[in-house]
Amino acid sequence: MKILVTGTTGYIGKRLVPLLIEEGHNVVCAVRDKLRAEEWYKNEPLITVVEADFLQESTLSNIPKDID
């Protein structure tokens, strides 16, 4: 399953993403600052990091359309 996680760099997100990966899910991490999140997840093939700010509509096109 391909899952979108927002708040990836926050308290809950940092704990949720590894659990989803452990279960074999593909995870799309929506973050405001891509550089910050890429350090944590750069070697994980099941993770895609996209930069999106939900207060700026123009950035929402970065989120893949094929989220389950």
Side-chain angles (χ1 to χ4, degrees), residues 18-45:
L19 296 174
L20 294 171
I21 295 302
E22 195 174 292
E23 292 183 7
H25 298 290
N26 288 301
V27 179
V28 177
C29 298
V31 298
R32 284 180 289 190
D33 183 0
K34 192 173 181 178
L35 296 176
R36 184 175 168 196
E38 283 182 331
E39 279 301 308
W40 293 321
Y41 303 122
K42 64 183 173 187
N43 295 321
E44 180 53 61

Side-chain angles (χ1 to χ4, degrees), residues 4-66:
L4 175 68
V5 176
T6 62
T8 304
T9 58
Y11 180 82
I12 294 171
K14 286 181 191 175
R15 285 147 183 82
L16 177 61
V17 170
L19 296 174
L20 294 171
I21 295 302
E22 195 174 292
E23 292 183 7
H25 298 290
N26 288 301
V27 179
V28 177
C29 298
V31 298
R32 284 180 289 190
D33 183 0
K34 192 173 181 178
L35 296 176
R36 184 175 168 196
E38 283 182 331
E39 279 301 308
W40 293 321
Y41 303 122
K42 64 183 173 187
N43 295 321
E44 180 53 61
L46 293 176
I47 292 181
T48 303
V49 178
V50 296
E51 208 164 57
D53 185 337
F54 289 93
L55 297 177
Q56 295 183 15
E57 189 175 341
S58 62
T59 65
L60 301 182
S61 63
N62 296 333
I63 299 171
K65 305 295 183 236
D66 61 342

